[in-house]
Amino acid sequence: MKGLYSALLTPFDKNGNIDERGLRELVRYNIDVMKMDGLYVGGSTGENFMISTDMKKEVFRIVIDEAKDDIKLIAQVGSINLYESVELGKYVTDLGYKCLSAVTPFYYKFNFAEIKNYYETIVRETGNKMVIYSIPFLTGVNMNVAQFGELLANPNIIGIKFTAGDFYLLERVRKAFPDKLIFAGFDEMLLPALSLGVDGAIGSTYNVTGKIAREIVDLVAAKDLEGAFKKQNLLNDIIEALLNNGLYQTIKTMLETQGVHAGECRLPMLPLSEEKKAIAVELAKKYL
Ligand code: NAY
């Protein structure tokens, strides 16, 4: 499951319904144009935590139907409703997804025994593999090396999506679990994460910056750190502009200029103002 993955956006229409045509086009764009190795489906970028269980299933069904075997797929089924996670985990496993991921349960301050039971329940009930989705800045859940180790002791828990800037922890985790998969989750820190030996990266911006990310991966593999640093500078110019303008909405507008019907974000996320839309179009002209 190693490689470069786009965290897939979900195209919605103005009423917040999934735009199937747009979703299919986006899957193809990531495969054919961005040349990604994989798609991370149902993550934060997919606005997953703002949609119903049925809509999550619809996204998973459409994506695998479109992607077939053309690209690796990871299905993010995590939820603070463990029963929903298990239901979704079984659903996507039946659809043919070979790997699950689940965000650490958030909002209530679950203790580690509860978090461990959450992961073990999902892998036991689904029989599928699991990548832990750790994103402390959004969940407030911080795990240490020993806690990651307790989870990774389960052979079906095969890795971590590490979306954090704590590179000391990343280095410690890499050293402690050389045989597990570690994915970098912050696109703006791809190069330093690669230098610490991650197995791949999963990011929202790769829907539009995938080619630059690939160059960074290749330059690091060729040990051209200076070249990789220049490309990371370029990537971060784009990421900074995206973050300043409204991340997911701006990526969607950029994709629209490429003929991908990436649509709108779902409320409570608000549409871009006309001024911000114009900025997004300019970014697309400059970088796509
Ligand atoms: C997800 O589940 O979609 C992700 O976590 C992908 C990782 C992204 N995190 C979020 C919260 O969007 O790609 C990153 C991030 O957008 C990027 O690094 C810009 O900060």
Side-chain angles (χ1 to χ4, degrees), residues 4-9 30 36 40 45 161 184-187 201-209 251:
L4 209 46
Y5 286 63
S6 276
L8 197 68
L9 299 146
N30 271 295
M36 288 288 103
Y40 188 80
T45 308
K161 172 159 122 63
F186 271 133
D187 318 359
I202 299 171
S204 63
T205 71
Y206 304 150
N207 287 275
V208 285
T209 66
I251 298 175

Side-chain angles (χ1 to χ4, degrees), residues 52-123:
S52 69
T53 309
D54 282 346
M55 290 172 85
K56 293 177 190 182
K57 287 183 178 173
E58 195 181 338
V59 170
F60 288 130
R61 180 183 57 71
I62 295 167
V63 170
I64 197 164
D65 182 63
E66 186 61 43
K68 305 206 168 51
D69 289 328
D70 294 350
I71 193 165
K72 299 173 208 175
L73 298 173
I74 298 177
Q76 196 298 122
V77 299
S79 162
I80 60 169
N81 175 354
L82 176 55
Y83 303 88
E84 184 196 35
S85 294
V86 169
E87 182 183 334
L88 290 172
K90 287 181 175 169
Y91 180 78
V92 298
T93 302
D94 287 346
L95 283 176
Y97 283 79
K98 303 277 186 303
C99 185
L100 310 179
S101 181
V103 69
T104 51
F106 51 91
Y107 190 76
Y108 301 100
K109 294 198 181 305
F110 299 105
N111 63 37
F112 182 68
E114 290 164 334
I115 294 172
K116 190 174 172 198
N117 180 58
Y118 163 91
Y119 283 107
E120 289 184 342
T121 301
I122 301 172
V123 293

